[in-house]
Amino acid sequence: MSDGASGGGGGLSRFFAALQLTLGSPLSRLVLKSMTRLEPDGRSSLDKALAAYAGADAGPMSLTCSVQSFLLDLILRVGLAVTRADEEGVKAMLRDPPVRRGIELVLRGIAEYGITVPQEMPAPFLVVWNFTNMCNLRCKHCYQRADRPLPDELTLEEKLNVVAQLDRAGLAAIAFSGGEPLIHPHFMRVAGEAARRGMYVAVATNGIALSNRSFAERVKALGVRYVEVSIDSADPDKHDWFRGMRGAWNLSVRGLRNAVELGLSTAMATTLTRMNVDEMDDLLDLAEEIGVQRVIFFNFVPVGRGKDIVEMDLDPAERERAMRKMFEEYRRRKLLVVSTAPYYGRVSLQMSGGKDVAPTHFYVGGDPGLESLADFVGGCGAGRIYAGIQPNGDLIPCVFLPITVGNLRETPFWDIWTKAPLLRQLRDRGQLKGFCGSCPYKYVCGGCRARAYGYTGDVMGPDPGCIYNMREWRRVAEELGLSEEDRRRVAEELRAIMSSSQ
């Protein structure tokens, strides 16, 4: 969520362990609940108390707020002392307003629901906003089938209203995606408003617009802190073929270099398929050469144009080998190597003997309390710790899970988030089916709900991408006609296409 959000020394995991230890009692929850009220300046007592604890600007406090701040300070100090967390590292982390917003969400969740596994939240940490359907590429796996703007996309006024709704809900981070968000004329105004309101602003982009250095400088100046650029091969020809435009690789890499040189937090994003699964070393070498801080290997999901290329998906054994390779590279390199595949958390726990874990949506590394944090965060976060917004204001559990649960033109975000039946179902791991429902890692992982829906039509069904669900994968592959012979033929045809394009 933030540059260095793991804190120093004891890190984020011990901080969460401290919260679990000290804030589960009825008295602590009563204190937290009383602190959710707003002070006259519009900030909650909880935000002011966290700021005061961290030594940041807390602003004026009422007498009640000052007493509450003293109590929270005492509770946190006790918890951090018992868990031997690095208190100075935690304070440094809490001085960052978006991180403080995220911690406030956790505390509000504990106040409202108590300590739950995974922790139930009153609002998502992150919303990914498909800002527009317009795009300057035609990617083969695009979950939006993006090309041109939709006729019913939100107006500028409506978009600013959405930002205000997310701010009132206490959202910590917002990521603009698409289509291609950076080519839309409303992007600068709306992203700048989100940053002004104290949210952590991220952009998921193909990077082409950022190849213009002056434009990249403007993006940084308006308050964007994180840039994620999609690179699907270390081979320019393969990337260009997959993305549907010659020359795309050179422009995207130049855009990513500009973001790195400007000091933005950066990531290179790659969707793993049979086209590039053997390129992991080359992709990571490229990322190190460019100087990015993290590489994110995205899980392929059969949605949008992805439905047309399911034969390029990895089978569970291929994916398991790839994730084990990811974790080995994460331990070997200075890069943060993470994945949107929820099973990556399980793989890292198994390979480290329970000492290390890489949660799907939040990176934390090297702390003894990581398994507790993985349970706390809980793998797949669709409808639980994040949500998606479509260009027309439809709210969906995840950008890869396009099931509309409400529309922000018609219903306030808060009402949809707290009342939509599907979102409440996704927050209950007890409703998972198949092996996912009985898996000992269901709170660390839970399976990708978008893949389960895309392949089985059941949002709570077993995810066919996991090695423990190999039987389910064989059933799905047979239904789709994905025989091993056909998949080998597709791989050979792909290699032939790539050699002829060089």
Side-chain angles (χ1 to χ4, degrees):
M1 181 173 64
S2 174
D3 323 340
S6 57
L12 188 59
S13 64
R14 291 196 183 184
F15 178 66
F16 276 109
L19 297 184
Q20 288 177 307
L21 180 70
T22 58
L23 296 177
S25 72
L27 180 59
S28 296
R29 287 179 61 193
L30 192 61
V31 171
L32 289 178
K33 217 170 230 185
S34 71
M35 298 179 74
T36 58
R37 300 187 185 93
L38 298 182
E39 290 280 280
D41 61 359
R43 290 174 64 181
S44 70
S45 296
L46 198 46
D47 177 51
K48 287 175 175 284
L50 288 170
Y53 171 76
D57 178 21
M61 288 189 184
S62 66
L63 179 59
T64 301
C65 182
S66 297
V67 173
Q68 292 166 334
S69 178
F70 171 79
L71 291 172
L72 184 63
D73 185 285
L74 184 62
I75 291 169
L76 290 178
R77 286 180 188 276
V78 169
L80 294 173
V82 171
T83 56
R84 298 182 180 179
D86 175 7
E87 188 174 12
E88 289 309 310
V90 168
K91 286 182 176 180
M93 176 183 68
L94 288 173
R95 290 187 196 111
D96 187 355
V99 174
R100 205 160 58 240
R101 287 174 73 106
I103 299 302
E104 184 179 353
L105 274 179
V106 173
L107 295 177
R108 284 169 51 200
I110 293 172
E112 186 68 28
Y113 308 109
I115 300 290
T116 63
V117 179
Q119 183 59 49
E120 189 164 352
M121 302 293 179
F125 277 110
L126 168 70
V127 161
V128 180
W129 189 348
N130 291 330
F131 198 64
T132 179
N133 210 58
M134 68 191 298
C135 192
N136 45 7
L137 294 181
R138 299 294 180 272
C139 305
K140 293 195 176 347
H141 65 321
C142 178
Y143 57 77
Q144 285 290 103
R145 294 189 182 271
D147 51 15
R148 62 192 67 186
L150 301 173
D152 61 344
E153 290 189 3
L154 297 173
T155 66
L156 175 58
E157 184 180 357
E158 288 172 327
K159 288 169 181 164
L160 293 172
N161 178 259
V162 166
V163 172
Q165 289 188 47
L166 298 177
D167 182 27
R168 285 194 295 273
L171 188 79
I174 183 169
F176 291 91
S177 187
E180 176 49 51
L182 293 181
I183 64 175
H184 195 282
H186 294 166
F187 172 76
M188 293 289 191
R189 177 73 178 87
V190 178
E193 177 63 13
R196 186 190 70 78
R197 288 174 176 267
M199 297 179 207
Y200 188 91
V201 178
V203 178
T205 171
N206 59 41
I208 291 174
L210 296 175
S211 64
N212 180 316
R213 179 66 175 233
S214 63
F215 180 82
E217 289 170 351
R218 287 174 57 207
V219 167
K220 180 182 179 181
L222 68 85
V224 170
R225 293 175 58 174
Y226 174 89
V227 169
E228 182 180 291
V229 175
S230 297
I231 306 288
D232 284 300
S233 176
D235 179 334
D237 288 328
K238 287 172 73 174
H239 173 90
D240 291 355
W241 173 80
F242 196 67
R243 293 273 160 178
M245 186 182 97
R246 226 174 229 296
W249 190 91
N250 287 325
L251 292 170
S252 296
V253 168
R254 188 187 310 158
L256 188 50
R257 288 189 195 279
N258 281 340
V260 170
E261 290 168 6
L262 288 170
L264 288 158
S265 181
T266 52
M268 189 173 88
T270 299
T271 298
L272 275 187
T273 64
R274 286 195 155 193
M275 178 189 80
N276 58 17
V277 68
D278 295 327
E279 287 188 60
M280 198 173 293
D281 285 325
D282 293 337
L283 285 160
L284 293 173
D285 288 345
L286 174 64
E288 286 184 326
E289 188 271 316
I290 294 172
V292 301
Q293 292 145 315
R294 56 187 66 80
V295 174
I296 304 170
F297 288 105
F298 272 73
N299 223 6
F300 174 86
V301 180
V303 63
R305 290 194 197 110
K307 291 179 181 177
D308 304 330
I309 58 166
V310 289
E311 66 276 3
M312 290 178 66
D313 193 8
L314 306 177
D315 67 33
E318 291 169 324
R319 183 173 285 102
E320 187 79 5
R321 285 193 292 271
M323 289 188 297
R324 288 178 174 271
K325 169 73 171 171
M326 282 177 218
F327 189 68
E328 287 169 357
E329 294 301 317
Y330 151 68
R331 291 199 289 193
R332 186 174 74 82
R333 297 177 185 254
K334 293 180 180 178
L335 285 168
L336 308 182
V337 183
V338 296
S339 175
T340 62
Y343 357 95
Y344 187 49
R346 183 261 303 164
V347 166
S348 57
L349 275 174
Q350 290 174 328
M351 291 183 68
S352 66
K355 295 178 182 177
D356 212 345
V357 67
T360 303
H361 308 288
F362 299 87
Y363 169 77
V364 183
D367 277 346
L370 280 167
E371 188 164 0
S372 169
L373 175 59
D375 281 352
F376 199 87
V377 172
C380 179
R384 190 176 56 80
I385 58 174
Y386 73 86
I389 298 175
Q390 295 285 48
N392 67 349
D394 283 344
L395 191 69
I396 54 181
C398 163
V399 293
F400 296 102
L401 187 54
I403 304 174
T404 301
V405 294
N407 185 280
L408 300 179
R409 276 183 170 130
E410 302 160 1
T411 311
F413 172 82
W414 185 256
D415 287 352
I416 302 172
W417 179 259
T418 54
K419 296 174 184 174
L422 176 60
L423 300 185
R424 299 207 64 78
Q425 184 181 28
L426 286 166
R427 294 165 198 164
D428 181 2
R429 293 286 164 83
Q431 295 192 44
L432 292 175
K433 300 173 185 175
F435 188 81
C436 284
S438 57
C439 179
Y441 296 97
K442 73 177 178 181
Y443 295 121
V444 174
C445 169
C448 173
R449 295 300 96 215
R451 280 182 56 87
Y453 182 73
Y455 276 123
T456 73
D458 185 346
V459 75
M460 302 306 286
D463 176 357
C466 177
I467 193 75
Y468 296 150
N469 281 326
M470 181 63 88
R471 183 180 298 175
E472 185 66 23
W473 168 257
R474 290 194 183 107
R475 184 191 67 77
V476 165
E478 185 178 347
E479 281 184 5
L480 295 173
L482 300 178
S483 70
E484 278 308 303
E485 184 180 342
D486 287 341
R487 282 161 61 78
R488 278 194 294 272
R489 177 180 51 76
V490 166
E492 287 167 8
E493 288 175 357
L494 180 59
R495 280 193 290 271
I497 290 168
M498 296 323 328
S499 3
S500 66
S501 70
Q502 295 174 2

